[in-house]
Structure formats: C-alpha cells, structure tokens
Amino acid sequence: MNPQPVATGLLSYGMSGRLFHAPFLHAHPGFNFSAVVERSQKKVNAVYPHVKSCDSPDELFNDPSLELIIVDTPNYSHYEYARKALEAGKHVLIEKPFATSLAQAKELFDLAKKQKRYVMAYQNRRWDSDFQSVKAIAAEKRLGKLVEVHLRYDRYRPLIEAKPHKEEPLPGAGLAWNLGPHVLDQAICLFGRPLQFFKTTAAHRDNTKVDDYAFFHLQYQNDLQVYIHVSLLCARPLPSYVLHGKNGSFMRGRTDIQESQLDKGISPLDPEYGKDTTLGELTLADENGILKTEMVPAPKGDYYQLFEAVYQQVRNKRPYPITKDEILCQMEILDHADV
C-alpha cells in the first residue's frame, strides 16, 4: 500500500512559490499541494483550483491536516515562520537563507530535534545543469590537484528595487544574504568546510542602503583557494564557474534554463524540461604538455530531485542531502564580520 502524499502548505505564492515550489508539489505524486497564503491578490486557484487560499500564516500553522510547511517569504521572516511551523508540529522546508544568523539556525535545528520533525534547507541551485557539470568535472579528477576555483553569481541591476525586504537594512537584506547562499552552498557541496574564510561586502549603487557586492575567500587543505563573487553591477559577467588544476582548466557560464521554463508554464515532467544545450570548456595538457580543449555538455537540470529528497526524508527517513553541518557552515560564513 502506497503511503499518503505529504500534505503541504506554501507560505507565499509570489515569484518563488509560483515558480520554484508549486509546479513540483503539483507534479510529484508524493505531495498534496493543499494550501497557500495569499494576503491580497488571490491567484493560485487560476492554476491550481483545488488549493485552499488562506489569508494568514496562522491558518497554515493551525491546520492539522498539513504535514509540511514551505517558508518562501522575505528573508527576515524565515526564522520566525520556521519556528512557528515547528512548534505547530510541522516539517519545514526553508528557502535560502535558512536563517539570518548562525544562532537562529542552530535554534531551528535544536527545535526540530525536540519536536521530532525535519527542518530542511531549499538549496535548489545544487540541481542546476551548469553546477551539475562542474560537480561531475570535479569528481572525475581529470584536472588533477585543484589549485584555484572561482564561483560567481552576477547580475546587472543598478537601480534600487521597489522591494523593501531586499533594499531596506533589515535582517537578511543585501546581496551577501540574497545570492551568497546559492554560491556558498555550491562551494561547500564541492569541497566541504573550509579551514578558514574571509568575507567582504560593499555598496556601490546610488542611494543603496544595503550591500550590492560580496566576496568570499575560502581556504582549504592542500592550498586550494576558492573565490566567490556576487554582484549587481556586472554588465558583462565573467564565466560563473572556473576551475584550475595541475592538469588543466574547466570553465562554463551560468546557463540553467529551469527558471525560464517554469516561468513559461513548462511542467517539470515535460521531456524537454531542464535540458541545457550549452557547453563547458575543458582544457587539458597531454603527455607532451600540449593543451587541448574539448567541449563538455551539461547534464539535465532538475529541481524535481530536491522535492524527491524532501519526500524521502519525510516518508522514509532517508537522509536529506543538504546537511545540518553544511547549513551551519554557510550561516557561519554569512554571519561573519567583514574584513
């Protein structure tokens, strides 16, 4: 007998809820997309007629039929809503950033253990096609001993957004906390906890109240140096992934198409979903020291796998791939003072 689907509620049906969560809750047979909070505009039923539209988060927390709450609200509210959901006896999946301080993150993990519930981090960029390609190259070890790795997440948005939760100096605001978690998680996924790290932020846009640039330097064993940049002022971005090793180099851009496909209404179950036709450049030295470059295709990107991992954790107690130690490491780096 198949187990019951996991009855799930979304705390918001904004861009993130509409693109990154609802389509997967609908497509995956292990979930029952049951409820969503819509404080003003009621849009969910135009796409998902069966979903209950609630007026407040408390309606989700107090609904005994819901097992899982997805926290996809502004950054400053993640800790508060995740805590309330756990106290109500729900499992919780939290958008990045997991919290807005290391202390908050530790408290949520402790509370989840006390409540005998799971609290999980939504780090979808692990399942981007471009990062999957980088991960495969690193695992193959064709580059030999890695010496230097660059990870970037760049945009060109010189104007101040009309979104107070991003532009006002609130907890979790600014680019370090907005895009930083994506790239830090990828670095930690590849290489684990660094031996030491440094963080620098800056504010360049006219009239900005928050950082719009951040740099992280992670130092690992065997003198591996990992450099992470996020910026809102890159009109012509550099390659997002660059790996240099003793045997050669690999580079590729940030090319995953899942977000644009989801915005067009393409289902995660569509055979063309997540297929990335772009290529990475792998340059290796042969036995004579001659450099040769080959073009490397990217694997399929697939955020569906994150929801499969959530389902397996909740229903079958299979360990979730984004671990507590990895999230606490990320939080420690983000929470660190600038140098």
Side-chain angles (χ1 to χ4, degrees):
M1 183 175 179
N2 292 329
Q4 285 289 106
V6 179
T8 303
L10 264 178
L11 279 181
S12 171
Y13 193 64
M15 186 277 284
S16 179
R18 179 176 62 85
L19 299 186
F20 295 128
H21 298 287
F24 300 93
L25 296 175
H26 179 69
H28 196 299
F31 294 94
N32 176 10
F33 181 22
S34 303
V36 67
V37 176
E38 295 182 290
R39 295 178 185 270
S40 53
Q41 294 179 314
K42 302 289 187 176
K43 297 181 177 181
V44 72
N45 291 142
V47 184
Y48 307 102
H50 66 285
V51 173
K52 179 183 178 183
S53 179
C54 301
D55 296 323
S56 73
D58 285 341
E59 289 187 58
L60 266 62
F61 302 144
N62 296 329
D63 186 339
S65 71
L66 296 179
E67 294 182 74
L68 172 69
I69 300 293
I70 297 178
V71 179
D72 59 330
T73 50
N75 294 355
Y76 68 84
S77 65
H78 287 185
Y79 163 76
E80 177 188 359
Y81 285 148
R83 178 177 55 80
K84 287 184 175 181
L86 287 168
E87 289 173 344
K90 315 298 186 187
H91 303 295
V92 184
L93 177 65
I94 310 176
E95 271 271 16
K96 58 81 190 167
F98 184 80
T100 57
S101 73
L102 176 61
Q104 287 181 352
K106 288 180 177 179
E107 185 177 333
L108 290 177
F109 281 116
D110 289 344
L111 180 58
K113 183 177 180 179
K114 178 183 176 182
Q115 295 291 95
K116 298 182 180 180
R117 293 295 181 265
Y118 298 116
V119 59
M120 296 159 281
Y122 179 86
Q123 296 281 176
N124 62 317
R125 299 297 174 182
R126 287 198 186 191
W127 286 270
D128 278 355
S129 58
D130 41 48
F131 179 67
Q132 288 293 311
S133 180
V134 171
K135 189 177 178 182
I137 289 293
E140 291 171 3
K141 301 187 182 302
R142 296 173 68 188
L143 296 175
K145 176 183 178 292
L146 288 176
V147 175
E148 180 181 345
V149 172
H150 296 260
L151 306 176
R152 304 189 66 99
Y153 204 139
D154 294 327
R155 292 171 172 167
Y156 185 67
R157 296 181 180 174
L159 301 180
I160 305 300
E161 290 189 70
K163 296 180 179 179
H165 65 276
K166 288 188 176 182
E167 298 288 6
E168 292 295 324
L170 299 166
L175 202 63
W177 286 93
N178 187 31
L179 294 184
H182 286 315
V183 203
L184 283 169
D185 179 70
Q186 291 180 338
I188 293 167
C189 175
L190 288 173
F191 306 116
R193 181 181 181 85
L195 296 176
Q196 59 180 337
F197 55 84
F198 307 92
K199 168 192 159 194
T200 301
T201 61
H204 297 293
R205 296 170 302 160
D206 293 342
N207 302 314
T208 187
K209 298 178 183 178
V210 298
D211 60 274
D212 47 33
Y213 169 86
F215 167 70
F216 305 91
H217 179 193
L218 313 184
Q219 297 182 336
Y220 287 89
Q221 291 180 341
N222 299 318
D223 292 326
L224 170 61
Q225 309 296 321
V226 177
Y227 304 100
I228 296 173
H229 296 260
V230 293
S231 175
L232 289 182
L233 291 175
C234 284
R236 183 159 183 173
L238 296 168
S240 298
Y241 303 97
V242 178
L243 286 72
H244 297 302
K246 292 183 70 175
N247 298 342
S249 300
F250 178 73
M251 64 178 61
R252 69 165 296 124
R254 187 172 297 280
T255 59
D256 188 86
I257 63 172
Q258 292 180 84
E259 182 173 344
S260 63
Q261 287 183 320
L262 293 165
D263 200 25
K264 294 174 184 175
I266 295 174
S267 168
L269 302 180
D270 190 298
E272 296 302 309
Y273 176 79
K275 288 187 177 180
D276 185 345
T277 60
T278 64
L279 303 171
E281 295 184 14
L282 177 64
T283 301
L284 297 173
D286 65 14
E287 63 275 10
N288 298 314
I290 305 300
L291 297 177
K292 296 183 179 180
T293 298
E294 62 180 273
M295 306 308 290
V296 180
K300 171 185 168 74
D302 195 2
Y303 300 153
Y304 188 95
Q305 297 306 315
L306 183 150
F307 287 87
E308 172 65 15
V310 171
Y311 174 77
Q312 292 297 337
Q313 169 84 95
V314 171
R315 278 288 175 264
N316 300 319
K317 299 183 180 180
R318 188 175 300 172
Y320 189 62
I322 303 158
T323 69
K324 171 184 173 181
D325 287 345
E326 290 171 337
I327 292 301
L328 292 181
C329 177
Q330 180 194 135
M331 288 293 103
E332 183 179 351
I333 296 169
L334 286 168
D335 210 12
H336 198 266
D338 282 17
V339 295

